[in-house]
Amino acid sequence: MKNILIRAQPFVTEALQRLRHPTRRGVALSLAAIPVLLLLYTLILIPFTPSIRDIQKSKSQQPASVLSADGKELALFKRANRDWVKLADISPNVVNALISTEDHRFYDHHGIDFTRTASAVLHTFGGDTQGGSTITQQLARNLYPEEVGRARSLTRKIKEAITALKIEAVYSKPEILETYLNTVPFLYNAYGIEMAARTYFDKSADTLDVLESATLIGMLKGTSYYNPVLNPERAKQRRNTVLGQMVKHEKLADRKLEALKKKPLKIDFERQTEPLGAAPHLTQYLRRWLIDWADRHDYNIYADGLVVRTTIDSRLQKLANEAVARQADRLQGVANSEWGPRAWAAKKDLVRTLVRETPEYKAARDAGLNDEQAVKQLLADNSFMQALRLDKIRLQAGFLAMDPSTGQVKAWVGSRDYAKDPFDHVQQARRQPGSTFKPFVYGAAFEQGARPTDTFMDEAVEIPLGGGAVWRPSDGGAPSGAPMTLREGLMYSKNTITAQVMQSVGPAKVASLAQAAGVRQSKLEQVPSLALGTSPVTLKEMVAGYSTIANNGNYIEPIVVTRVEDRHGKVLETFHAKAPEQAMSLATAQTLVDVMRGVIDQGTGVGIRSRYGIQADVAGKTGTTQDNTDGWFILMHPQLVAGAWVGFNDNRVTLSDYWGQGAHSALPIVGDFFAQSLRTRVLDQRVRFAVPQDASAPDPMSRVNDWFNALFPSGTVPAGKNAEPGVGLPPEPTTQPMPVMPADGGLPPVVPPSMVPPGVVLPPALPPVVQAPERSGGGIPILRESSVSDSVNR
């Protein structure tokens, strides 16, 4: 190329000199120089167009696919919202309309129609701009928008022509038609004739009639200008022009033309959305990961047919999606009620603040209104205010499940609806974990030799913070003043006990254990209130931390990809979980599992047993943050650890004291999921933790029996006709004390005073599971925003 330019330089120089001093011979030579220069310029541009190898490769383009562990497709990474169909599956009406209108000599040229090109040039010089591109040239623009471009320039036209010639050398004519019709854009994120047919006529491409085909092909002259949705009259005129071209080139009978022209468009418009798949948040995360992997290994995720095999179990993913949808929709009804128009209007200060944070408020201020005028104008806009309220009170949730023994993620739900909220509440969102963080506090104590039977007094706690500030954690009600074991402190989520355990261990050791267990990306503030979960973390970190407990204290980094294959099944790279890291001793992990069994058997997570009927060997913890901002629940089973978070994106919006508790917001999602997983036998109910039941653990039924034995020393329970509503006594006499499983709360039923025989003294009750919501923080300004309190019922 360089040699050609060097040799041509004297000729070009002489031609330019002759133009300065024109003669007949000089003009002739100058005119002769123009095609030579054009040829040279064309040669220069050849290396800047797609190579034959690139065109051969694009002929077999195949997007990367993401598969579950059991081989189900989770996603296709397509370059555009396109559904490829074969030429045989496209209506002949479409092909006839296309060739008649865009390139009637399509079968006669080799990529460039020189007759049409010359005609277009003459018309353009005459002031009537016309396009001379063939279907093949248009395909060149569609396939290689970056290399060819769309600018109106000589350079683009030459690149387009060169690429068209290359395409004709590789593709057959039917293949060119098929590729063109599957790549041409039709607005509204619809690429290809199949998506266009669905978008504008709600049908597939093989069923398009002649009018529908002419309408879509007519759009190609200018998709926006001839948009049948916004410009129906123009679209109809253009459609009729296409019909006329079909008659002219004998693709349509002349006798039908006039009748067809009079028919309406009959658009059935529906915007097509790209399929999200079963785990859209995970697959979007994997898209970013795969782009990076492909760049490093010289692959294209949109063309090379890569296959990404993941750890996701399609059965568990389906159950997780259903559980989140079912329970979150139910809770959304509560939110709609609690934040109805009247309640919303009553929170005037908050509403005005939310209004000031909207783009509409900024636009009003930019238009010259002052603050009060802008706010008043928006408050009076009913449609705006309704949209703002619905947006702010839309409940959100996140869910993650993983195998604790392998680190493999089995189900991932980032939000209730990816289309409405693509923000991932599993890996991106950092929220205060509340009492789900407490196992790390007790775990740090067990690491230092504490035992579940060790006791602290349930009394008011004051912890100096320095500078005269004091932290006073509370539990919503007055302390009992009675001793309480560490086991009971965690089972019933007692803040006063947990704060004292934190004092004895120290924030540094608690933070260190939590980080070793799995909280490895979020920063943990080493302050006393960390005991109650004040440092924001991700759901993924918390589920990983609980998996460490369930895995005998061994941390395994969560893994979602097992291998990447090429389109032929050849393994390109395999991924394995990293070697386990000992985060805590075996004894500590097993002690935590056993103590957290109690949370489920008779503590704050008893709903797992009483409401969902789960009898498997499970352990877990609830969590609720200050003002019910965040609800959490994480459950451990030997085969699976699953956790859920529930809340609002704007933490100034919260639920009531009952519904905002993790036991009533997040627990139902996990309970629903586990109940279905066990019922369908995806999980084995017979599998148990290799953790013996501690002899010091209270029998869930022992306190119930104590009550009945005290009430009825003879061991005979009276007939049901003597029982008062809600006591739960059996209908017939029996000679054995009748253990009665309590409702949510896990404690014996309330026995009316009238049922207590004279002289009988009932055993002392355990701390009540349902108390008034706590208000901890003690008014300490420096901890007001970050302090988290968690009532014992949480």
Side-chain angles (χ1 to χ4, degrees):
M1 180 65 65
K2 185 177 180 181
N3 291 335
I4 293 173
L5 292 174
I6 291 173
R7 292 175 182 176
Q9 188 174 358
F11 183 80
V12 173
T13 302
E14 182 181 353
L16 292 173
Q17 289 175 346
R18 292 181 183 278
L19 284 174
R20 294 192 188 99
H21 307 285
T23 62
R24 280 190 178 183
R25 185 169 177 273
V27 170
L29 289 173
S30 298
L31 291 174
I34 293 175
V36 174
L37 291 172
L38 191 60
L39 176 62
L40 289 173
Y41 189 56
T42 301
L43 294 173
I44 292 171
L45 290 178
I46 289 176
F48 298 97
T49 59
S51 66
I52 291 293
R53 179 178 175 274
D54 291 332
I55 292 173
Q56 289 172 332
K57 194 174 181 180
S58 70
K59 185 177 179 180
S60 57
Q61 280 190 356
Q62 185 176 328
S65 60
V66 179
L67 303 181
S68 65
D70 46 342
K72 301 295 178 61
E73 185 177 279
L74 297 176
L76 277 177
F77 292 153
K78 298 184 290 187
R79 192 186 301 272
N81 188 22
R82 177 170 56 217
D83 194 352
W84 195 284
V85 289
K86 295 184 179 299
L87 186 63
D89 295 324
I90 298 173
S91 169
N93 293 315
V94 174
V95 177
N96 290 335
L98 175 66
I99 293 176
S100 299
T101 308
E102 295 294 319
D103 189 1
H104 66 274
R105 280 187 287 269
F106 173 71
Y107 289 105
D108 300 325
H109 62 67
H110 298 286
I112 303 173
D113 186 342
F114 291 102
T115 302
R116 187 177 180 186
T117 300
S119 175
V121 170
L122 291 175
H123 279 89
T124 300
F125 278 123
D128 179 18
T129 303
Q130 289 191 4
S133 296
T134 62
I135 290 175
T136 314
Q137 287 174 283
Q138 294 177 46
L139 176 60
R141 294 199 299 267
N142 293 340
L143 286 181
Y144 305 102
E146 295 180 6
E147 293 90 337
V148 174
R150 294 186 177 275
R152 290 193 173 187
S153 65
L154 177 63
T155 298
R156 192 267 292 174
K157 293 299 293 183
I158 295 176
K159 284 184 175 182
E160 183 183 282
I162 295 170
T163 307
L165 291 171
K166 292 179 179 179
I167 289 174
E168 290 271 352
V170 174
Y171 284 68
S172 67
K173 289 293 186 178
E175 287 174 333
I176 291 173
L177 286 175
E178 178 179 309
T179 307
Y180 177 84
L181 286 170
N182 278 288
T183 56
V184 65
F186 282 96
L187 296 180
Y188 302 109
N189 197 33
Y191 288 81
I193 193 65
E194 177 67 19
M195 280 301 186
R198 295 181 198 172
T199 300
Y200 297 101
F201 297 106
D202 192 25
K203 58 169 57 177
S204 58
D206 63 337
T207 61
L208 291 170
D209 62 28
V210 66
L211 288 173
E212 294 161 345
S213 300
T215 300
L216 294 178
I217 296 303
M219 290 179 67
L220 300 181
K221 185 176 177 65
T223 50
S224 296
Y225 191 79
Y226 295 109
N227 181 346
V229 177
L230 300 180
N231 304 306
E233 285 304 316
R234 289 181 196 160
K236 184 178 179 181
Q237 291 173 7
R238 178 62 185 165
R239 180 202 69 181
N240 291 344
T241 299
V242 173
L243 293 174
Q245 290 295 106
M246 293 177 71
V247 169
K248 178 181 178 180
H249 297 290
E250 300 179 350
K251 300 298 182 182
L252 180 66
D254 186 29
R255 66 180 185 278
K256 296 181 179 180
L257 181 60
E258 290 306 315
L260 289 173
K261 281 184 175 183
K262 296 175 183 178
K263 292 185 177 293
L265 287 177
K266 291 186 178 180
I267 297 297
D268 187 359
F269 177 75
E270 182 178 356
R271 189 188 296 267
Q272 302 297 300
T273 57
E274 188 174 356
L276 297 176
H281 289 86
L282 172 63
T283 53
Q284 289 308 307
Y285 161 72
L286 289 179
R287 184 193 291 268
R288 296 189 295 271
W289 175 85
L290 186 60
I291 288 173
D292 180 65
W293 184 92
D295 286 346
R296 287 185 282 108
H297 294 82
D298 195 26
Y299 285 98
N300 185 325
I301 75 166
Y302 303 114
D304 291 334
L306 297 174
V307 177
V308 180
R309 297 195 177 271
T310 72
T311 61
I312 295 295
D313 185 313
S314 67
R315 300 165 299 173
L316 292 174
Q317 183 66 40
K318 180 176 183 291
L319 294 176
N321 288 336
E322 292 171 349
V324 170
R326 189 159 43 235
Q327 300 302 329
D329 286 351
R330 170 176 167 269
L331 203 57
Q332 183 66 60
V334 175
N336 293 343
S337 176
E338 294 185 350
W339 286 87
R342 288 187 179 181
W344 174 265
K347 298 182 180 294
K348 294 181 180 179
D349 291 341
L350 173 60
V351 170
R352 293 174 73 90
T353 298
L354 295 176
V355 166
R356 289 188 177 95
E357 295 171 354
T358 63
E360 289 81 356
Y361 170 81
K362 183 179 183 301
R365 292 302 306 273
D366 291 343
L369 299 182
N370 62 33
D371 172 71
E372 189 59 32
Q373 290 172 329
V375 171
K376 186 175 180 180
Q377 175 178 291
L378 291 172
L379 288 174
D381 187 337
N382 290 332
S383 60
F384 165 78
M385 291 304 298
Q386 183 180 11
L388 177 64
R389 181 177 69 86
L390 293 177
D391 176 63
K392 290 298 180 181
I393 70 169
R394 178 167 177 76
L395 190 83
Q396 277 306 334
F399 178 92
L400 185 73
M402 63 182 286
D403 184 335
S405 63
T406 64
Q408 293 188 353
V409 173
K410 296 300 181 181
W412 180 318
V413 184
S415 73
R416 288 175 62 195
D417 186 341
Y418 180 87
K420 294 180 179 177
D421 188 0
F423 187 66
D424 187 359
H425 295 87
V426 169
Q427 183 165 265
Q428 290 178 291
R430 282 183 165 81
R431 305 293 290 238
Q432 293 178 330
S435 289
T436 54
F437 193 82
K438 288 178 180 176
F440 301 127
V441 179
Y442 290 85
F446 296 148
E447 282 285 87
Q448 293 190 2
R451 296 170 299 176
T453 53
D454 292 347
T455 61
F456 284 92
M457 294 298 294
D458 179 20
E459 59 187 8
V461 177
E462 294 187 353
I463 300 177
L465 299 175
V470 177
W471 180 44
R472 298 180 179 88
S474 64
D475 290 289
S480 66
M484 182 173 283
T485 65
L486 296 188
R487 179 183 294 276
E488 293 171 332
L490 184 54
M491 281 171 50
Y492 298 107
S493 202
K494 290 288 288 184
N495 292 338
T496 52
I497 302 300
T498 306
Q500 293 177 71
V501 176
M502 171 64 95
Q503 267 191 302
S504 68
V505 175
K509 286 187 171 58
V510 172
S512 178
L513 179 65
Q515 289 165 342
V519 185
R520 300 198 166 193
Q521 283 74 49
S522 301
K523 180 181 179 182
L524 299 177
E525 192 175 1
Q526 296 182 15
V527 295
S529 64
L530 176 64
L532 306 187
T534 55
S535 290
V537 296
T538 67
L539 177 59
K540 184 179 177 183
E541 289 175 309
M542 291 301 294
V543 172
Y546 276 57
S547 293
T548 296
I549 297 171
N551 192 34
N552 296 320
N554 294 304
Y555 168 76
I556 300 179
E557 183 178 347
I559 181 174
V560 293
V561 177
T562 55
R563 65 182 183 270
V564 178
E565 303 171 355
D566 67 12
R567 69 174 69 202
H568 304 296
K570 178 184 176 182
V571 177
L572 302 177
E573 188 169 356
T574 303
F575 303 89
H576 302 283
K578 294 180 181 178
E581 302 175 29
Q582 191 74 34
M584 64 184 75
S585 67
L586 173 63
T588 293
Q590 292 190 335
T591 300
L592 280 173
V593 167
D594 188 49
V595 170
M596 293 166 73
R597 280 169 169 158
V599 174
I600 305 304
D601 290 336
Q602 61 183 124
T604 61
V606 73
I608 289 295
R609 303 284 194 211
S610 63
R611 180 175 177 182
Y612 293 97
I614 295 172
Q615 299 304 313
D617 187 14
V618 291
K621 187 71 187 75
T622 56
T624 311
T625 63
Q626 184 111 345
D627 298 325
N628 307 305
T629 302
D630 305 277
W632 295 73
F633 182 70
I634 306 175
L635 192 65
M636 299 181 290
H637 177 273
Q639 295 176 317
L640 201 70
V641 174
W645 165 89
V646 174
F648 298 88
N649 285 334
D650 191 322
N651 59 19
R652 292 167 294 187
V653 179
T654 61
L655 289 173
S656 61
D657 289 328
Y658 178 84
W659 291 108
Q661 297 168 19
H664 300 126
S665 61
L667 183 148
I669 294 176
V670 180
D672 186 339
F673 169 80
F674 261 96
Q676 297 302 322
S677 300
L678 291 164
R679 184 184 64 80
T680 56
R681 298 184 181 180
V682 181
L683 297 181
D684 190 344
Q685 183 164 275
R686 298 166 299 177
V687 178
R688 296 184 60 81
F689 285 107
V691 180
Q693 183 82 29
D694 194 316
S696 69
D699 182 352
M701 299 311 305
S702 64
R703 191 62 62 90
V704 178
N705 289 335
D706 288 344
W707 280 65
F708 275 90
N709 288 332
L711 281 168
F712 312 108
S714 64
T716 301
V717 180
K721 63 182 180 181
N722 297 321
E724 292 192 15
V727 176
L729 300 180
E732 299 297 334
T734 176
T735 57
Q736 296 295 328
M738 186 68 182
V740 179
M741 281 304 292
D744 284 9
L747 298 179
V750 177
V751 180
S754 62
M755 290 291 295
V756 181
V760 172
V761 179
L762 297 178
L766 290 174
V769 172
V770 179
Q771 289 186 356
E774 74 171 324
R775 295 289 182 269
S776 68
I780 307 298
I782 61 171
L783 285 179
R784 190 67 178 175
E785 292 183 0
S786 62
S787 67
V788 172
S789 52
D790 198 344
S791 216
V792 289
N793 61 326
R794 303 181 180 186

